Amino acid sequence: GWGNNKLVRVDLATMGYEIMPGGSYGITVDTQGRVWTNWVQRYDPATGQWQSPSASVGGSGGIAQDLQGRIWAAQQNGVIWVDMETLAVGDTVPLPFSGQAKGVSADIDGYVWVTFQNDTNAYRIDPTTYEVRTVTGLNDPYTYSDMTGGQLSNVNCNPPVG
């Protein structure tokens, strides 16, 4: 619900739906089935509650879970992480490009990838050491979604029936 601040949950069996306040442009689902928005807010469908870290860490770009249970969010000139269970705010990792980071994704090897709008590079972050590797020569690698495919391994979905 970008632009209207709404989040919609659809029941695939009945096609019934529920509309809640709190939608955003950058969005992901963690391994516990909770929805996260780029404002670093977590919605738990089991309780119907939104929660946020005590410190303001909101951004206006992508958001993703890594293999260590951290939620990474785009920030101005870099990314920040938050513990997905405790909501404790972790470190900010600056990147060598000036502007608002946009795309954030975690790959299957645990690296966090970040892109900026109007940049020809992607940045790979080692989530333990924060070492940054720059991948150059790209053609405007702008994305908010799972650009690495790694988020698919994190999603907690109901098993297929049939």
Side-chain angles (χ1 to χ4, degrees), residues 9 42-51:
R9 182 179 183 188
R42 178 181 75 194
Y43 177 75
D44 187 339
T47 65
Q49 299 294 311
W50 283 96
Q51 291 183 296

Side-chain angles (χ1 to χ4, degrees), residues 19-129:
I19 300 175
M20 292 130 318
S24 187
Y25 195 59
I27 191 169
T28 195
V29 177
D30 69 21
T31 52
Q32 301 303 310
R34 298 171 298 203
V35 178
W36 290 79
T37 69
N38 64 299
W39 295 109
V40 194
Q41 298 175 338
R42 178 181 75 194
Y43 177 75
D44 187 339
T47 65
Q49 299 294 311
W50 283 96
Q51 291 183 296
S52 301
S54 57
S56 175
V57 294
S60 61
I63 189 163
Q65 179 190 333
D66 72 5
L67 298 178
Q68 298 178 35
R70 296 180 295 188
I71 302 295
W72 292 79
Q75 297 285 291
Q76 187 70 22
N77 305 324
V79 289
I80 191 167
W81 65 263
V82 172
D83 183 283
M84 72 180 229
E85 295 303 329
T86 68
L87 298 173
V89 177
D91 296 318
T92 298
V93 180
L95 294 169
F97 188 81
S98 180
Q100 175 65 49
K102 291 294 184 180
V104 179
S105 188
D107 69 21
I108 61 171
D109 295 319
Y111 292 102
V112 176
W113 290 80
V114 181
T115 59
F116 288 79
Q117 194 169 8
N118 302 317
D119 189 11
T120 58
N121 301 317
Y123 304 93
R124 186 187 80 175
I125 302 167
D126 182 313
T128 304
T129 66

